[in-house]
């Protein structure tokens, strides 16, 4: 398992000839599969076309390099329509906001974890309030360009540590947390979600005017969000609040 940041900028080594083919420039996400399907290559001689390696052609991802059998693993994305379409979708995951299916904002992704054997996205690292938590990829419904949509009960399945990501055993701490969650009312959960929304948006700059359906401006563009601004957007309705969450500087 690797962080995306641990893969980017790694040299790509051709095993057959022992030469460097370039460096990993970016990870191309397949939003339907929830996986990394291609690694794009940064090379000073390839300025016109975009070269990449299908993840299935990767032999291994080590601490110091990505290895492939030979240079035939490299493809031109412009010649592979499906690969080109994935690149143009621009799914980046990192720095993307996370929202539940019913429109509750949870947090923002700071990193994600990849299975270095098959490219599957295993989990997401989120900043929720001032705390970093891990969410397993099985709770993701949609990988979008601007927003990642997760299941409604995702808040109850956050992990404190990456070591718990693929751990199917519930330890004493998890059992205690589960027991505590049973006592939490829907009203408590809603209050917690709203608190997290405040923490995520507070102090951020709005990139455009946030308007109600009748055209009235709720929050002018350029505003640095205060608690009063966020509360006004929440009171104006779900569509206004979602518009606000998608119109702030990262």
């Amino acid at each position: 398992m690797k962080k995306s940041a641990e893969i980017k900028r790694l040299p790509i080594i051709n095993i057959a000839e022992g030469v460097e083919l370039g460096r990993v420039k970016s990870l191309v996400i397949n939003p339907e599969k929830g996986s990394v399907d291609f690694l794009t290559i940064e090379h000073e001689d390839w300025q016109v076309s975009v070269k990449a390696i299908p993840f299935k052609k990767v032999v291994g991802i080590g601490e110091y390099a990505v290895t492939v059998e030979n240079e035939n693993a490299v493809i031109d994305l412009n010649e592979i329509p499906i690969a080109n379409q994935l690149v143009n979708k621009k799914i980046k995951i990192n720095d993307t906001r996370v929202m539940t299916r019913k429109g509750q904002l949870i947090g923002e992704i700071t990193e994600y974890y990849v299975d270095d054997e098959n490219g599957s996205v295993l989990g997401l690292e989120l900043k929720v309030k001032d705390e970093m938590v891990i969410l397993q990829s099985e709770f993701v419904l949609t990988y979008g360009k601007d927003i990642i949509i997760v299941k409604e009960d995702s808040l109850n399945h956050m992990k404190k540590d990456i070591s718990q990501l693929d751990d199917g055993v519930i330890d004493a701490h998890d059992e205690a947390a589960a027991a505590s969650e049973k006592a939490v009312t829907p009203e408590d959960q809603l209050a917690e979600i709203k608190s997290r929304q405040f923490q995520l948006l507070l102090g951020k700059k709005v990139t455009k005017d946030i308007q109600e359906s009748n055209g009235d401006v709720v929050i002018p563009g350029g505003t640095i969000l205060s608690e009063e601004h966020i509360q006004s957007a929440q009171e104006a309705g779900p569509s206004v609040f979602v518009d606000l969450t998608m119109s702030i500087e990262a």
Side-chain angles (χ1 to χ4, degrees):
M1 180 170 59
K2 297 284 187 183
K3 289 183 178 182
S4 67
E6 293 174 333
I7 301 175
K8 290 179 182 178
R9 300 294 302 159
L10 282 179
I12 301 168
I13 304 300
N14 170 351
I15 296 173
E17 299 180 19
V19 297
E20 182 178 322
L21 299 174
R23 289 181 177 268
V24 177
K25 182 177 182 180
S26 65
L27 284 62
V28 180
I29 304 296
N30 183 325
E32 281 73 35
K33 291 168 54 182
S35 64
V36 176
D37 278 13
F38 298 91
L39 304 177
T40 64
I41 306 172
E42 184 175 30
H43 193 290
E44 59 183 12
D45 294 335
W46 299 336
Q47 299 296 327
V48 178
S49 60
V50 179
K51 305 288 186 179
I53 295 173
F55 203 95
K56 62 184 179 181
K57 294 289 187 180
V58 171
V59 174
I61 301 177
E63 184 179 356
Y64 300 106
V66 173
T67 57
V68 295
E69 288 290 356
N70 51 55
E71 64 179 359
N72 292 333
V74 178
I75 64 170
D76 188 330
L77 285 182
N78 294 324
E79 297 176 358
I80 311 294
I82 294 177
N84 200 29
Q85 289 171 12
L86 290 179
V87 171
N88 290 332
K89 286 184 178 181
K90 298 180 179 179
I91 307 296
K92 60 178 182 175
I93 298 184
N94 286 341
D95 302 319
T96 303
R97 290 180 289 280
V98 177
M99 183 178 289
T100 67
R101 189 171 179 272
K102 292 186 178 180
Q104 300 294 349
L105 191 65
I106 293 179
E108 188 169 279
I109 297 171
T110 59
E111 183 55 277
Y112 62 97
Y113 295 84
V114 179
D115 187 325
D116 51 332
E117 294 293 330
N118 58 30
S120 297
V121 175
L122 298 175
L124 312 174
E125 185 177 270
L126 286 77
K127 183 177 182 181
V128 179
K129 290 188 177 180
D130 293 323
E131 184 180 11
M132 304 305 295
V133 295
I134 307 294
L135 180 65
Q136 290 172 289
S137 59
E138 65 188 75
F139 292 97
V140 176
L141 297 174
T142 306
Y143 289 95
K145 178 183 176 182
D146 300 313
I147 297 285
I148 287 179
I149 308 298
V150 297
K151 295 179 182 178
E152 208 62 34
D153 62 345
S154 296
L155 280 172
N156 298 330
H157 297 277
M158 300 291 185
K159 306 290 186 180
K160 299 292 185 181
D161 188 84
I162 186 60
S163 63
Q164 299 176 301
L165 190 59
D166 54 359
D167 184 5
V169 179
I170 300 178
D171 59 21
H173 178 273
D174 289 335
E175 287 180 344
S180 174
E181 285 161 5
K182 290 180 181 178
V184 176
T185 66
E187 290 77 13
D188 291 335
Q189 287 186 328
L190 182 59
E192 175 66 12
I193 289 172
K194 286 189 174 182
S195 174
R196 295 182 182 192
Q197 290 173 345
F198 268 83
Q199 293 295 325
L200 183 64
L201 297 174
L202 194 62
K204 295 291 181 68
K205 184 177 181 179
V206 182
T207 59
K208 67 170 189 176
D209 287 349
I210 305 301
Q211 300 177 331
E212 294 187 86
S213 58
N214 61 6
D216 289 346
V217 176
V218 179
I219 304 173
T223 298
I224 303 300
L225 291 173
S226 66
E227 291 188 6
E228 290 74 18
H229 293 128
I230 300 169
Q231 186 171 352
S232 295
Q234 288 179 331
E235 292 173 352
S239 62
V240 174
F241 187 74
V242 170
D243 189 26
L244 173 63
T245 64
M246 298 180 68
S247 305
I248 59 174
E249 289 186 352

